[in-house]
Amino acid sequence: MNSVSYEGMIFDEYISKEEIAHMVQEVADRITHDYQDKKPILICVLHGAVFFLTDLMRALPIDCTVATVHLQSYDGVASTGQVRENVPLQTDIRDKDVIVVEDIVDSGITMHYFKQILRSRQPRSIKVAALLTKPTELQYPDAKPDYCGREIPKKFVIGYGFDIHDYARNLPAIYALREA
Ligand code: 5GP
């Protein structure tokens, strides 16, 4: 099995780059269908979603723009339970159709918090596209993604944007922490 090691922990390949490409295309097809006559703004949640955002955007044959926000809730392999807005959203979203592009929805605290900020800025609509979600961990129902590449069980994953202390994002596949 293809494995990598970070910080003394072993991670096994979990989702191949071919499977990721397929998941991204499926999400893109659904968004294309739903936004035919709209020009959505894709808000990329940095840094984790940057790989998903660029692949997703290139698979969208509709007019769309991009904006960024840097949110952080994880430290290492665990959630801190708090969301930090390290770099706020700078773009005016009033009356715009917003799609938040996120790497993963876990407890949902990040999306719950960010949607509150977005609502106060009066967009026309807000949807969330997440590459992955961990449904068993979801604590904030309003954070459930509208578009999701794949549901996974409770696992810590790295690669394709997912980090461990900011490393491993550049792995082309997604790897899961091997259970002891
Ligand atoms: P939530 O706020 O939903 O609990 O967590 C969302 C954020 O936590 C994600 O944007 C991501 O940064 C981080 N996160 C959650 N699960 C994982 C994981 O398995 N691996 C990595 N690297 N980050 C995760």
Side-chain angles (χ1 to χ4, degrees):
M1 183 185 279
N2 189 4
S3 304
V4 293
S5 176
Y6 286 86
E7 302 185 13
M9 292 175 276
I10 299 173
F11 296 82
D12 299 312
E13 185 169 321
Y14 183 55
I15 307 177
S16 69
K17 61 180 183 180
E18 290 78 16
E19 287 174 276
I20 295 170
H22 184 70
M23 286 154 51
V24 173
Q25 189 62 53
E26 277 189 348
V27 172
D29 289 347
R30 291 184 51 212
I31 291 175
T32 303
H33 175 267
D34 294 351
Y35 286 79
Q36 278 302 326
D37 49 355
K38 299 182 181 130
K39 295 184 177 182
I41 176 164
L42 308 187
I43 301 181
C44 176
V45 181
L46 298 173
H47 300 303
V50 74
F51 293 73
F52 178 36
L53 181 278
T54 55
D55 286 342
L56 177 66
M57 216 169 162
R58 279 178 291 190
L60 291 177
I62 54 172
D63 284 337
C64 53
T65 59
V66 67
T68 57
V69 63
H70 184 198
L71 306 175
Q72 190 176 3
S73 64
Y74 254 58
D75 184 19
V77 300
S79 175
T80 60
Q82 288 182 331
V83 183
R84 286 209 327 247
E85 195 180 10
N86 289 346
V87 183
L89 179 70
Q90 308 277 3
T91 309
D92 181 16
I93 58 166
R94 182 184 287 262
D95 296 330
K96 299 257 172 67
D97 293 303
V98 165
I99 303 174
V100 184
V101 180
E102 174 64 304
D103 53 5
I104 189 164
V105 174
D106 182 354
S107 71
I109 191 171
T110 305
M111 263 319 102
H112 172 74
Y113 167 88
F114 189 47
K115 279 173 105 173
Q116 285 178 349
I117 294 177
L118 290 176
R119 273 188 220 107
S120 71
R121 297 194 182 199
Q122 300 174 298
R124 187 185 300 131
S125 66
I126 306 172
K127 300 277 185 193
V128 175
L131 183 67
L132 301 177
T133 185
K134 300 180 192 170
T136 58
E137 305 309 296
L138 191 69
Q139 290 173 31
Y140 297 85
D142 71 324
K144 189 170 187 277
D146 303 279
Y147 305 96
C148 177
R150 179 156 155 188
E151 296 184 347
I152 65 166
K154 183 180 181 187
K155 281 179 183 296
F156 180 75
V157 295
I158 59 169
Y160 193 72
F162 293 101
D163 75 308
I164 174 150
H165 288 129
D166 260 335
Y167 287 95
R169 295 190 198 277
N170 51 322
L171 295 170
I174 293 174
Y175 293 73
L177 179 61
R178 189 181 292 178
E179 308 291 337

